[in-house]
């Protein structure tokens, strides 16, 4: 191992990614086709979120040595970082074929399968990885991720605590523990754990995770509130035009709905304190704007329902229902903005063009096959 390679590895181990990148580029001047150096460079670039450059380094590493399992594994990791879990499965499987006794291949494959919601296959891959490395913190946390995706919170908690017993400072382990606390609505403990993780690892601070109480509130409202608002609106119109006896129950229903939302708001936001709001200030501009706009729309809907409860004006619930598509549009804007932020536009359109070309080639071949003469000897073959 050359001195440049050793220095780069040492810098990567201590997290000095920019210096490691410079050392790797210097080493590549002398050995431009070294697949191992290119793979390490791809890793350093991915960790710095320089995704287009990381992809080029991955491609160069695979072109230099297609039989190097670590290059395929880094390719899979990069696809996961780009939220393209479908494209991470094939390179992870290739890494397993090349190095069947390396647990990392199975663990990366398990993470990709979890993202695709192929949970039985993810469980099998994670189990295999854990058998190969029974004391690995990474393997234990992957098992915890799989168990949490399956809804087995107690099992996930056992795996997380086993991992933290081996590495109490593991950022991912502590983050996952906080997410399990969030799943159980242990708001104060979850936010405190996330805040401590961000303090100890400022370079990897996850502002969006700390803001989960605010985000959870909007998610819950998005799931069940539109149906409730539609029921209130229908009852108000029914009372106004056909069955006056429904008028009082409709107003009571609106008041109970507002009280339920306020109780949920109190349950999530009061124990969390100011930390989620401070974290929102560190989030992306798109996420911040859509979240605040969503809260504003929710407050306006609650105001309208409160006014209907007090006055009985039957047209007021219609305003609350009319605002539901606005919240849906905000959600769509948030998803698109997050994707464009995480995946550079050039890569996004490049991937789209590639998928369209592949679709056209497959469609063209199928049409040609369908329109061949049944008596054509070439088709009979």
């Amino acid at each position: 191992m050359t001195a440049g390679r050793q220095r780069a590895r040492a810098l990567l181990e201590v997290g000095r990614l920019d210096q490691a990148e410079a050392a790797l580029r210097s080493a590549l001047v002398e050995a431009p086709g070294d697949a191992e150096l290119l793979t390490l460079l791809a890793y350093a670039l991915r960790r710095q979120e320089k995704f287009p450059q990381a992809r080029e380094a991955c491609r160069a590493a695979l072109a230099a040595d297609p039989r190097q399992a670590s290059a395929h594994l880094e390719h899979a990791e990069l696809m996961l970082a780009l939220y393209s879990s479908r494209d991470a499965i094939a390179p992870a499987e290739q890494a397993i074929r090349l190095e069947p006794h390396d647990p990392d291949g199975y663990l990366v494959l398990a993470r990709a399968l979890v993202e695709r919601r192929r949970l039985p296959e993810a469980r099998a891959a994670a189990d295999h990885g854990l058998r190969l490395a029974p004391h690995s913190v990474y393997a234990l946390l992957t098992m915890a991720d799989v168990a949490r995706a399956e809804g087995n919170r107690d099992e996930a908690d056992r795996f997380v605590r086993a991992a933290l017993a081996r590495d109490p400072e593991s950022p991912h382990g502590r983050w996952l523990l906080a997410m399990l606390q969030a799943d159980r609505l242990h708001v104060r403990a979850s936010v405190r754990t996330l805040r401590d993780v961000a303090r100890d690892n400022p370079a990897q601070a996850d502002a969006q995770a700390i803001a989960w109480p605010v985000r959870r509130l909007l998610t819950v409202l998005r799931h069940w509130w539109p149906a409730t608002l539609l029921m209130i609106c229908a009852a108000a119109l029914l009372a106004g035009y056909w069955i006056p006896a429904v008028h009082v129950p409709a107003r009571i229903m609106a008041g109970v709905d507002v009280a339920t939302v306020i109780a949920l708001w109190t349950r999530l936001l009061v124990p969390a304190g100011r930390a989620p709001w401070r974290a929102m200030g560190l989030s992306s501009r798109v996420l911040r704007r859509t979240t605040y706009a969503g809260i504003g729309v929710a407050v306006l809907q609650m105001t309208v329902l409160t006014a209907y409860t007090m006055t009985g004006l039957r047209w007021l619930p219609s305003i609350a229902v009319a605002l539901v598509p606005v919240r849906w549009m905000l959600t769509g804007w948030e998803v698109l903005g997050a994707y464009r932020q995480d995946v550079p536009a050039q890569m996004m359109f490049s991937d789209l063009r590639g998928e369209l070309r592949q679709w056209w080639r497959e469609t063209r071949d199928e049409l040609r096959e369908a329109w061949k003469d049944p008596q054509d000897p070439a088709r009979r073959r």
Side-chain angles (χ1 to χ4, degrees):
M1 183 180 292
T2 64
R5 195 189 309 262
Q6 288 179 330
R7 181 170 180 271
R9 283 187 176 278
L11 290 169
L12 288 174
E13 288 176 1
V14 298
R16 296 182 179 179
L17 301 174
D18 52 345
Q19 297 178 34
E21 178 189 349
L24 287 166
R25 292 190 184 280
S26 298
L28 282 167
V29 172
E30 300 177 3
D34 190 310
E36 183 182 357
L37 287 174
L38 289 167
T39 302
L40 291 173
L41 178 61
Y43 169 79
L45 292 168
R46 172 174 61 83
R47 289 287 306 278
Q48 297 177 83
E49 298 186 356
K50 298 178 180 180
F51 296 129
Q53 298 176 49
R55 175 175 283 190
E56 292 303 319
C58 257
R59 287 174 175 169
L62 291 169
D65 185 3
R67 302 288 300 173
Q68 182 174 252
S70 60
H72 291 280
L73 203 57
E74 180 55 36
H75 183 201
E77 291 274 18
L78 177 60
M79 292 300 100
L80 285 174
L82 292 172
Y83 301 96
S84 183
S85 54
R86 180 186 61 184
D87 296 326
I89 294 174
E93 291 175 336
Q94 180 63 14
I96 291 171
R97 283 190 289 270
L98 293 171
E99 292 287 349
H101 300 296
D102 182 3
D104 287 350
Y106 298 96
L107 300 176
V108 173
L109 176 61
R111 289 167 51 205
L113 292 170
V114 165
E115 294 292 331
R116 304 301 299 171
R117 307 303 298 175
R118 292 163 56 177
L119 299 181
E121 297 171 76
R123 163 74 67 167
D127 277 336
H128 199 115
L130 185 61
R131 283 196 298 272
L132 291 173
H135 303 296
S136 166
V137 172
Y138 180 31
L140 289 167
L141 292 178
T142 302
M143 285 297 302
D145 282 325
V146 174
R148 181 174 177 242
E150 293 172 335
N152 299 326
R153 294 176 185 169
D154 292 338
E155 184 185 17
D157 189 74
R158 287 196 300 271
F159 280 118
V160 169
R161 294 190 183 280
L164 290 175
R166 291 176 170 82
D167 182 9
E169 301 303 320
S170 168
H172 183 59
R174 295 162 69 192
W175 176 89
L176 193 51
L177 177 63
M179 291 297 99
L180 289 169
Q181 292 168 335
D183 292 341
R184 295 185 172 97
L185 287 185
H186 298 165
V187 180
R188 184 174 287 106
S190 175
V191 172
R192 184 171 57 247
T193 302
L194 289 168
R195 190 178 58 224
D196 292 344
V197 172
R199 181 198 60 210
D200 298 340
N201 304 273
Q204 303 176 30
D206 189 348
Q208 187 172 344
I210 299 174
W212 76 261
V214 180
R215 308 289 306 140
R216 179 72 60 85
L217 175 66
L218 294 179
T219 301
V220 171
L221 294 181
R222 186 165 60 243
H223 285 165
W224 62 268
W225 212 19
T228 306
L229 293 175
L230 191 60
M231 290 174 57
I232 294 171
C233 182
L237 294 176
L238 191 65
Y241 292 102
W242 293 285
I243 308 177
V246 182
H247 184 61
V248 173
R251 293 172 67 179
I252 293 174
M253 189 188 307
V256 169
D257 189 65
V258 172
T260 302
V261 174
I262 292 175
L264 177 63
W265 198 301
T266 304
R267 176 70 179 84
L268 287 172
L269 297 184
V270 171
R274 293 178 294 178
W277 301 106
R278 290 176 175 173
M280 285 303 307
L282 302 174
S283 301
S284 67
R285 183 173 58 182
V286 171
L287 180 64
R288 190 165 58 249
R289 288 180 175 178
T290 54
T291 299
Y292 290 153
I295 291 173
V297 171
V299 169
L300 183 57
Q301 289 172 311
M302 291 170 59
T303 303
V304 169
L305 290 182
T306 302
Y308 171 65
T309 303
M310 297 176 65
T311 65
L313 296 175
R314 62 176 180 267
W315 51 268
L316 285 173
S318 302
I319 299 175
V321 173
L323 290 171
V324 170
V326 176
R327 299 187 69 244
W328 289 342
M329 286 189 292
L330 289 172
T331 301
W333 181 24
E334 176 186 320
V335 171
L336 179 61
Y339 182 72
R340 289 186 62 187
Q341 179 186 5
D342 291 319
V343 183
Q346 182 180 358
M347 295 174 64
M348 180 172 66
F349 289 116
S350 174
D351 291 344
L352 180 61
R353 285 196 300 269
E355 292 178 4
L356 288 174
R357 289 196 200 99
Q358 182 180 357
W359 171 81
W360 170 243
R361 283 195 298 269
E362 293 174 354
T363 304
R364 181 188 59 194
D365 293 343
E366 290 174 1
L367 289 173
R368 285 177 177 173
E369 184 68 22
W371 285 99
K372 276 184 180 178
D373 186 345
Q375 303 302 319
D376 187 352
R379 183 169 185 176
R380 289 201 297 271
R381 286 200 299 271

